[in-house]
Amino acid sequence: MKRFLWFSGAAALLLLCCGCSRGFSSSDISPKRYVDTAMGTVINQTIYAADGKAGEEFPEKAMGLLKELEGDLLSWRLESSQVYRLNASGGREEGTVLSEELWDILERCLKLYGDSQGAFDVTMGPAARLWNIDQWAAGEGEGEFQVPDARALEQALKACGSDRLRLAEEENVAYLPEGMQIDLGAVGKGLALTRLLELLEEEPEIEAAVISVGGSVLTYGNKPDGSNWKVAIPNPADTGAMVGVLSLEGQWCVSTSGDYERYVEVQGVRYHHILDPRTGCPARSGVRSVTVLSGDGFDSDGLSTACFVLGPEKGMELAKSYGAETLFVMEDGTVLMSEGMKAYFTEA
Ligand code: AMP
Ligand code: MG
């Protein structure tokens, strides 16, 4: 049995941000680089600050923010988080009052559920816990990995389904049916990019930055030497290599969902972490990875997961309706991309 937690989008969405420095003045700013882990993945930061102190202090502030985001809001594992408390409230008649932030996130999740015809579903917690791919991939499973029993999977699927999660706008109340469990793993890293962007905007001394949170990357500002940001798209068949590079100017969010990120392989069959809500099993859409380019972190991350399940045809249409661009790497190695993506992509 092979287990794999691909640490990371980080290593792989290689941030090719060196570029040669031309001219003087602000191009003399040398980037500060910082690597750490949070939210179960690798965080890579490259910061260009006019004032050295601001540049040195930012990475620690960013790490504090990510740990708080996970511990206070997003984690389904940590008792301190709002999602944990919501998950403990299943079946409560009076519902649960949420913070405005979580309520807004869930509202966006329900919209994406509808727009993706159910391919994106944050209520898949019961099925995801049954597979437990994240833990197995991280080497935290006990004994031998077992494919969930069909009856158990059927039972778990009965507890899932965003169409049964009700949100009431007055007082930000959510009504979670008994047994349902929210899992924001598909948008957490994108939400982190939005928070990091807000933090960067509070720091006038920081001119530009590129930060990756696992498979989601934020570019901010323009590199002092005038060259574009280069974000590599990993090759799923050889994650040390890439299929190509996106060349970007200014602020963008780039998220990749792939079957190589977290998986267990048993007798040549790969069980990965992106589930098809129709079957409760790892999605088999002929896709190995999807990269989504958007101005917004929730959209890039949520759409990359949805597009993985939907496949290229429906996925591209969905992303287009959100103003996002897509690139699919298929099982046979073919690269398919939306018309707009072609302006940013260069093949390796
Ligand atoms: P990502 O790597 O962004 O594609 O997110 C994958 C994670 O989202 C998984 O580890 C699960 O926690 C969760 N997930 C899996 N399948 C789905 C799905 N169809 N819709 C929403 N979330 C999902
Ligand atoms: Mg995602």
Side-chain angles (χ1 to χ4, degrees):
M1 178 181 79
K2 278 199 233 160
R3 315 174 158 146
F4 207 84
L5 170 67
W6 190 54
F7 248 155
S8 176
L13 282 172
L14 303 160
L15 307 170
L16 308 176
C17 45
C18 24
C20 50
S21 157
R22 289 184 253 116
F24 296 100
S25 66
S26 67
S27 68
D28 289 339
I29 295 174
S30 57
K32 300 271 183 306
R33 296 181 211 285
Y34 186 94
V35 185
D36 205 342
T37 56
M39 302 176 75
T41 193
V42 175
I43 316 298
N44 258 295
Q45 304 186 53
T46 303
I47 310 293
Y48 296 80
D51 164 20
K53 193 159 171 275
E56 267 155 37
E57 286 175 358
F58 184 86
E60 289 290 350
K61 281 192 205 168
M63 291 310 296
L65 178 146
L66 295 178
K67 285 176 182 160
E68 188 185 300
L69 180 65
E70 184 184 24
D72 292 355
L73 183 63
L74 299 178
S75 174
W76 57 263
R77 283 194 192 89
L78 301 174
E79 287 179 28
S80 54
S81 89
Q82 284 190 59
V83 165
Y84 186 97
R85 286 198 294 277
L86 173 61
N87 283 344
S89 78
R92 196 187 289 165
E93 235 171 75
E94 69 277 22
T96 307
V97 178
L98 309 179
S99 68
E100 200 166 328
E101 186 174 17
L102 181 56
W103 196 92
D104 288 346
I105 291 168
L106 290 176
E107 193 188 32
R108 291 183 82 175
C109 290
L110 291 192
K111 177 172 183 328
L112 186 50
Y113 171 80
D115 293 343
S116 68
Q117 296 161 352
F120 173 89
D121 190 345
V122 288
T123 69
M124 290 292 289
R129 296 300 83 76
L130 207 55
W131 284 94
N132 228 358
I133 298 289
D134 287 0
Q135 277 77 6
W136 278 103
E140 291 164 6
E142 274 178 35
E144 272 299 299
F145 172 79
Q146 300 282 342
V147 171
D149 164 89
R151 195 168 291 171
L153 204 51
E154 196 183 317
Q155 279 306 113
L157 271 183
K158 280 188 188 151
C160 306
S162 286
D163 48 345
R164 294 188 305 116
L165 171 64
R166 224 160 44 77
L167 299 178
E169 197 156 6
E170 307 83 56
E171 296 177 16
N172 302 324
V173 177
Y175 299 89
L176 193 78
E178 181 90 52
M180 184 177 280
Q181 298 281 295
I182 302 296
D183 176 342
L184 292 177
V187 285
K189 294 169 184 76
L191 290 166
L193 298 191
T194 302
R195 285 278 197 98
L196 290 167
L197 175 62
E198 286 163 6
L199 194 66
L200 283 164
E201 284 170 343
E202 285 168 16
E203 303 277 347
E205 297 292 337
I206 296 183
E207 288 196 3
V210 58
I211 305 179
S212 68
V213 181
S216 285
V217 182
L218 169 72
T219 63
Y220 172 77
N222 287 305
K223 269 204 283 175
D225 71 0
S227 62
N228 281 0
W229 299 114
K230 300 284 194 296
V231 179
I233 299 175
N235 181 351
D238 173 9
T239 51
M242 56 186 180
V243 293
V245 172
L246 297 184
S247 176
L248 305 170
E249 250 179 280
Q251 193 254 295
W252 287 101
C253 295
V254 183
S255 295
T256 299
S257 289
D259 71 357
Y260 54 86
E261 290 183 302
R262 287 155 198 254
Y263 67 86
V264 184
E265 217 165 69
V266 188
Q267 293 166 349
V269 181
R270 180 173 294 208
Y271 300 97
H272 61 76
H273 68 313
I274 304 167
L275 303 180
D276 185 332
R278 288 167 297 193
T279 61
C281 295
R284 309 260 178 238
S285 53
V287 172
R288 294 218 54 197
S289 79
V290 185
T291 299
V292 177
L293 174 66
S294 165
D296 179 77
F298 176 97
D299 285 355
S300 65
D301 197 1
L303 287 168
S304 70
T305 309
C307 288
F308 189 101
V309 176
L310 286 172
E313 209 172 303
K314 287 186 175 166
M316 272 189 210
E317 203 179 303
L318 170 70
K320 194 172 173 194
S321 73
Y322 279 69
E325 303 299 342
T326 44
L327 183 147
F328 292 75
V329 182
M330 306 302 291
E331 274 168 4
D332 64 2
T334 318
V335 174
L336 303 172
M337 68 190 110
S338 58
E339 244 346 273
M341 189 64 117
K342 293 178 183 164
Y344 304 101
F345 180 72
T346 309
E347 206 176 320

